[in-house]
Amino acid sequence: MTAIAFPAPDATILARRGEIIAGLTQLVPAECLVTSDIEMRVFETDALTAYRRMPLAVVLPRNTQEVSAILRYCNDLHVPVIPRGAGTSLSGGAIPQEDAVVIGVAKMNRILEVDTFNRFIRVEAGVTNLGVSNAIVAEGFFYAPDPSSQLACTIGGNVGMNSGGAHCLKYGVTSNNVLGVKMVLMDGEIVEVGGPGPDHPGFDLLGFIVGSEGQLGIVTEATLRILPIAEGARPVLFGFASSEIAGACVAAIIAAGIIPVAMEFMDKAAVAICEAFAGAGYPLHVEALLIIEVEGSETEMDAQLAQIIAIAQQHEVQVIRQSQSAMEAAQIWKGRKSAFGATGRVADYICMDGTVPTGQLSYVLKRTGEIVKEYGLRVANVFHAGDGNMHPLIMYNVNDPKEQEKAEAAGNDILKLCVDVGGCLTGEHGVGIEKRDLMRHQYADVDLQQQMRVRAAFDEAWLLNPAKVFPLDGRVMG
Amino acid sequence: MTDFFPTSEAEAAAFISDCAAAGKTIRILGGGTRARLARDIAADAQLSTQNLTGVTLYEPAEMVISARSGTPVREVLALIDQHNQMLPFEPLDHRTLLATTGEPTMGGLAATNASGPRRIYAGAARDHLIGARFVNGRGEIVKSGGRVMKNVTGLDLVKVHCGAYGTLGLLTEVTFKLRPKPERVATLIYKRLDEASAIRLLGEALGSPFEITGAAYLPIGHGRDFSRALLRIEGFDASVSYRIDELRRRFAAYATPREALEGPDADRLWRAVRDVEFLSAPAEAPLWRLSVKPSDAAACVAHLRAIDGARYFYDLGGGLIWFTDPSGQNAALIRDTLAAMNGHATLVRGPDALRQAVPPFSPLPAAQEKLMRSVKHAFDPQRLINPDLMYPGL
């Protein structure tokens, strides 16, 4: 019924399940091992819930040494391994397969070192994204990348997916904010890459590791750059008569030399859905809404907003709503941040994640509407306009296999469109299983082969998260 | 040694492909201004990017620029300056410190991850390189990344080229994201602070919400007969005024800086910090780039200060120390001192004999070295491109 293929499980591994579990019990205590069907149910999918597979077993190690022992054991037996953070991946990056052991980092959730003078924090991989900021907020610091799932998602998952968020326009994505990692390779070898200082000898392996979707190793600790919290932050709502005008306004703000800390876009459908859920006070009559956040002192925010408002007025802005209090500001963000959950109340949906050059935003929005309509479905658009990272939410009925196929086909058409206008298949969610088979639309074979050779340089036998990212056929080893 | 000057990416790929078939090694050269970094190598052929020039894409409204690797940095800066934009990492120009001539190129900048004082706020060249085209050691043309700010499609092959000194392939085109130039730049100068206090001041200022974009400390003798701690603030006029006042007030206990320095004098001062001008002479005096946690910086220098004729200054809030060891006799002491603090020491300049005797980069732990070799093999299986440049046998 579903379009994305999984590799056939290795029967010899399935046949040895009992023996493999017995081996794992020698490596970790019983409370770290999940093997009954009913308990493994939680791990059979991630946030790409249309797909699910029961794993061979789930291990929740407590430290790097245990991860190392488990990986060495699986490597020796040639058993695939699926690394898992909190399972919030929207691209199916953490979906298991029947012949694989899931290694979850949930139990590794300690803050190891806070150093505000040198502006870094060292944490275990299972700490949540928000947990990092919460550990340093009292000292006036925060961790910049802020995916919408930040309450639940782990730093290990963020490193794997190179996660982004609303504030990446100013502060960059995960790869700009990770200083170093401790990682276990498939053969059990523990390596430390990078660290708090500015220069490190050798190749910039962190560049590969961040965003590698758990294919190069399992990250057990990360050293993260932390930043001082701005004196104040203020989001403002702007309502426009059309998506085109809103898009032009975004471009004009950037062209004027202003980099707000966030510029979020919502179309009419998304505004209605989020407002019904969060009661954020969003205007329901506009065709497009921008949430633009500025930060600094009161004087600085006033000055920057005056410039932004002047530009918006040149773009026939219909509504300007400034937050008057911290509570109103939180409410505005609550509406935006709950977009995915709120849409889930209305319909089942798949969330796309293409990035386009910002000059192409209006065109891609228009074509997205047309594509989805051609398939007889509905779409809501909510995304990071400042960096062109689009999130069409394609709504369908999950109980209707034909609708699911249509939704996936529409999604594929939209992602191809993103690539065709000079963008890419994914800006922050990753390739996972979802976009694996579209990789050839963005890359020539030779490009993919180079990536695969690097992948194999870390994991020669392709045991780590093997059915993800790269098309299943034509795989290249080291 | 044959010299080759391809005029297109296809020509370059054909040449490398021929070399691969014949098993010939290739040294890559851009403008040659950074050619004395890393190790000296011998190769069968030399490929120069000097004819691979030109900006291939510039979208000011999208803050992105692509240029062929041989394009002079100067041309790119002049072009983006017309639109009030900049390369945010403030690229270091190595000519003064290496006593080289010629034109720094975009490819050389990317390959050496050449970044200046603004790195502490904006990140290094690697953080801004979002796309690259390159020819690997098999002679294949490979592209990775692109022109959009957010892209996590597959493995990021882009960042690893920054600081790989061309050992993973010939970069043919690089794409950087840009930022608007600030409306106003001002520098607060705190005079006559001792090193420990100065570094504490820099660290505390960097931990404040005022977005410090430069934090350096120049001991006595670096242009003045008193020491100077420098804090740079950038942004819109109103913001800069506000932040200057706040910083003065908040850090009044350290010293009272005079009126903030702005304009050409301030530009010259930061350029001197960026390009290590204070330590450019004598041209052969061994020069080290020391990387530590800022809180360890003063202690690190305290260990090394007794070295005869040592001179040094601090950038990046203390995390980067430029250090000269005129006799060239103290490499082991320098390396050991940094290693004990979990830091790293890179020999950036020195006479040929010293550069042959002392590895320019800190040694790697075995597991990491093994990974590095696997990665090199994935790009250049025959070890043809810039072989041995970073480490012997790599």
Side-chain angles (χ1 to χ4, degrees):
Chain A
M1 106 180 193
T2 51
I4 301 169
F6 280 71
D10 183 332
T12 60
I13 294 175
L14 297 182
R16 295 172 68 192
R17 179 166 188 255
E19 178 202 333
I20 292 165
I21 289 171
L24 291 170
T25 58
Q26 303 297 308
L27 304 174
V28 289
E31 72 262 23
C32 296
L33 204 55
V34 182
T35 54
S36 75
D37 270 13
I38 191 148
E39 287 177 318
M40 288 202 301
R41 192 69 67 189
V42 188
F43 298 92
E44 70 175 349
T45 187
D46 52 20
L48 188 67
T49 49
Y51 294 86
R52 43 193 77 216
R53 288 291 184 278
M54 201 60 118
L56 197 72
V58 178
V59 198
L60 304 170
R62 297 166 302 175
N63 53 50
T64 305
Q65 281 65 38
E66 286 182 356
V67 173
S68 168
I70 299 159
L71 282 179
R72 182 170 290 127
Y73 177 73
C74 291
N75 193 50
D76 289 348
L77 267 61
H78 221 72
V79 174
V81 167
I82 313 292
R84 185 179 178 102
T88 57
S89 168
L90 290 159
S91 62
I95 286 180
Q97 55 196 53
E98 296 90 334
D99 58 1
V101 172
V102 168
I103 299 185
V105 296
K107 284 190 197 284
M108 293 188 277
N109 56 7
R110 290 177 307 160
I111 308 276
L112 300 171
E113 189 180 1
V114 173
D115 186 338
T116 52
F117 183 83
N118 294 306
R119 298 179 308 288
F120 73 85
I121 185 170
R122 195 161 56 85
V123 301
E124 289 186 327
V127 175
T128 62
N129 176 289
L130 203 56
V132 175
S133 285
N134 285 344
I136 48 183
V137 66
E139 279 128 314
F141 285 81
F142 77 112
Y143 175 61
D146 58 343
S148 295
S149 56
Q150 67 186 140
L151 184 66
C153 64
T154 62
I155 287 300
N158 287 177
V159 170
M161 290 307 192
N162 194 5
S163 305
H167 290 85
C168 294
L169 177 60
K170 179 173 177 187
Y171 294 115
V173 292
T174 299
S175 71
N176 305 118
N177 291 280
V178 175
L179 301 170
V181 295
K182 182 183 273 189
M183 183 172 86
V184 187
L185 303 177
M186 189 63 213
D187 62 5
E189 183 93 65
I190 298 165
V191 287
E192 292 193 48
V193 179
D199 290 310
H200 301 280
F203 294 150
D204 185 349
L205 300 177
L206 263 186
F208 287 140
I209 294 163
V210 179
S212 59
E213 307 199 16
Q215 300 221 324
L216 303 186
I218 294 188
V219 168
T220 57
E221 284 178 27
T223 303
L224 309 169
R225 185 163 78 111
I226 57 174
L227 300 171
I229 298 172
E231 287 171 279
R234 208 189 293 160
V236 181
L237 294 181
F238 294 88
F240 294 89
S242 77
S243 295
E244 285 78 8
I245 301 174
C249 183
V250 167
I253 290 168
I254 289 176
I258 305 167
I259 309 278
V261 66
M263 280 205 273
E264 298 290 294
F265 179 107
M266 301 166 86
D267 68 5
K268 192 169 190 169
V271 168
I273 288 168
C274 294
E275 180 61 19
F277 175 78
Y282 292 170
L284 295 170
H285 64 285
V286 298
E287 288 297 319
L289 187 77
L290 290 178
I291 300 172
I292 300 183
E293 182 162 277
V294 295
E295 60 180 24
S297 66
E298 289 300 321
T299 331
E300 291 175 298
M301 291 192 289
D302 286 343
Q304 213 181 113
L305 273 176
Q307 287 181 293
I308 292 171
I309 288 169
I311 294 170
Q313 278 162 346
Q314 287 160 19
H315 290 79
E316 303 155 46
V317 64
Q318 295 187 326
V319 176
I320 301 176
R321 188 162 300 158
Q322 303 202 37
S323 55
Q324 304 298 332
S325 66
M327 198 195 283
E328 274 183 44
Q331 199 66 8
I332 286 175
W333 275 115
K334 188 185 169 203
R336 163 64 185 88
K337 290 230 168 194
S338 57
F340 293 179
T343 307
R345 298 201 316 167
V346 178
D348 308 306
Y349 68 91
I350 47 173
C351 172
M352 295 290 111
D353 171 45
T355 306
V356 300
T358 49
Q360 300 284 345
L361 276 174
S362 302
Y363 170 70
V364 174
L365 273 173
K366 182 166 129 301
R367 276 296 297 142
T368 295
E370 290 166 3
I371 289 168
V372 174
K373 208 170 167 188
E374 281 161 24
Y375 285 97
L377 299 171
R378 289 181 300 149
V379 65
N381 282 287
V382 40
F383 60 91
H384 316 303
D387 35 37
N389 186 194
M390 308 189 65
H391 294 311
L393 307 177
I394 305 171
M395 293 175 262
Y396 71 103
N397 176 2
V398 78
N399 295 316
D400 180 344
K402 283 214 173 83
E403 275 218 345
Q404 177 166 344
E405 270 175 41
K406 281 185 193 173
E408 288 181 354
N412 285 354
D413 288 357
I414 292 167
L415 293 178
K416 285 179 178 172
L417 170 69
C418 291
V419 173
D420 294 342
V421 300
C424 61
L425 295 171
T426 167
E428 58 184 6
H429 295 175
V431 176
I433 55 165
E434 185 198 22
K435 283 154 286 205
R436 186 187 68 200
D437 298 320
L438 290 176
M439 287 288 273
R440 287 206 176 90
H441 194 78
Q442 182 169 336
Y443 294 111
D445 273 349
V446 69
D447 307 329
L448 275 182
Q449 283 161 7
Q450 182 64 73
Q451 291 184 29
M452 288 189 273
R453 285 195 188 96
V454 170
R455 190 221 180 282
F458 285 76
D459 169 26
E460 210 173 347
W462 279 67
L463 291 174
L464 275 162
N465 224 5
K468 314 288 163 64
V469 184
F470 298 104
L472 294 180
D473 61 318
R475 294 194 161 195
V476 173
M477 303 297 177
Chain B
M1 186 162 71
T2 4
D3 277 357
F4 186 60
F5 302 87
T7 56
S8 71
E9 180 183 71
E11 264 182 37
F15 180 76
I16 293 176
S17 192
D18 289 348
C19 288
K24 281 187 182 168
T25 55
I26 309 153
R27 179 172 187 257
I28 294 174
L29 199 66
T33 65
R34 308 178 213 265
R36 286 179 60 76
L37 292 173
R39 291 162 45 87
D40 279 336
I41 58 165
D44 302 322
Q46 178 163 291
L47 188 158
S48 161
T49 60
Q50 73 176 46
N51 294 331
L52 286 176
T53 57
V55 169
T56 49
L57 172 129
Y58 178 37
E59 291 286 356
E62 292 172 11
M63 298 188 294
V64 60
I65 193 160
S66 304
R68 294 197 184 90
S69 57
T71 311
V73 175
R74 183 175 45 82
E75 277 179 26
V76 167
L77 294 179
L79 176 64
I80 63 178
D81 191 56
Q82 291 171 17
H83 293 268
N84 248 327
Q85 294 183 335
M86 62 181 184
L87 291 169
F89 50 92
E90 203 176 8
L92 160 63
D93 181 342
H94 281 87
R95 282 177 293 189
T96 309
L97 103 90
L98 295 175
T100 48
T101 53
E103 278 290 344
T105 62
M106 294 303 288
L109 177 166
T112 57
N113 196 26
S115 313
R118 202 184 285 100
R119 174 176 186 176
I120 198 160
Y121 171 72
R126 62 90 75 185
D127 291 296
H128 297 87
L129 187 72
I130 56 174
R133 296 177 66 91
F134 63 94
V135 181
N136 66 17
R138 297 164 180 261
E140 297 166 337
I141 298 168
V142 181
K143 65 172 194 305
S144 183
R147 57 179 281 200
V148 289
M149 303 293 161
K150 287 170 88 179
N151 181 356
V152 296
T153 323
L155 269 190
D156 185 355
L157 304 181
V158 176
K159 291 186 168 34
V160 75
H161 288 283
C162 292
Y165 294 81
T167 56
L168 297 177
L170 164 71
L171 285 167
T172 54
E173 185 183 281
V174 288
T175 301
F176 282 101
K177 57 179 173 174
L178 306 171
R179 284 270 142 159
K181 276 194 161 180
E183 189 174 282
R184 185 175 159 204
V185 183
T187 299
L188 286 173
I189 302 179
Y190 292 77
K191 295 175 185 169
R192 300 186 177 85
L193 292 182
D194 64 82
E195 301 194 16
S197 308
I199 285 167
R200 210 162 49 239
L201 164 67
L202 299 181
E204 287 175 13
L206 286 163
S208 76
F210 305 122
E211 302 189 331
I212 305 300
T213 67
Y217 177 66
L218 308 173
I220 297 170
H222 292 77
R224 292 284 183 278
D225 57 4
F226 47 83
S227 72
R228 292 176 288 172
L230 314 178
L231 288 177
R232 185 170 64 183
I233 312 107
E234 301 177 335
F236 291 103
D237 186 28
S239 290
V240 172
S241 298
Y242 168 79
R243 290 173 179 193
I244 287 174
D245 290 347
E246 280 297 302
L247 287 165
R248 278 172 173 278
R249 196 178 54 73
R250 209 178 272 205
F251 301 116
Y254 284 94
T256 304
R258 297 216 331 230
E259 200 174 327
L261 189 67
E262 300 188 42
D265 286 347
D267 294 346
R268 258 194 301 278
L269 180 59
W270 282 106
R271 200 157 53 237
V273 172
R274 185 192 76 184
D275 296 342
V276 206
E277 284 175 17
F278 304 110
L279 303 179
S280 59
E284 282 288 279
L287 177 68
W288 292 79
R289 190 183 161 95
L290 312 181
S291 165
V292 281
K293 283 193 298 201
S295 59
D296 291 336
C300 169
V301 167
H303 266 91
L304 302 173
R305 198 182 288 126
I307 289 176
D308 201 22
R311 296 182 64 217
Y312 54 87
F313 72 91
Y314 302 80
D315 191 8
L316 307 184
L320 167 63
I321 305 158
W322 290 100
F323 189 94
T324 56
D325 163 27
S327 74
Q329 299 297 307
N330 300 288
L333 171 66
I334 292 169
R335 279 260 152 82
D336 292 349
T337 302
L338 270 294
M341 295 182 163
N342 285 320
H344 299 288
T346 307
L347 179 63
V348 174
R349 177 183 72 192
D352 292 343
L354 180 71
R355 291 172 63 239
Q356 271 152 33
V358 173
F361 302 103
S362 302
L364 290 169
Q368 215 178 316
E369 190 180 331
K370 192 173 143 210
L371 266 185
M372 229 175 120
R373 285 180 197 285
S374 309
V375 167
K376 167 78 172 169
H377 188 263
F379 284 86
D380 179 15
Q382 295 187 73
R383 273 196 339 104
L384 298 180
I385 302 185
N386 282 346
D388 308 319
L389 185 75
M390 291 182 75
Y391 292 91
L394 186 91

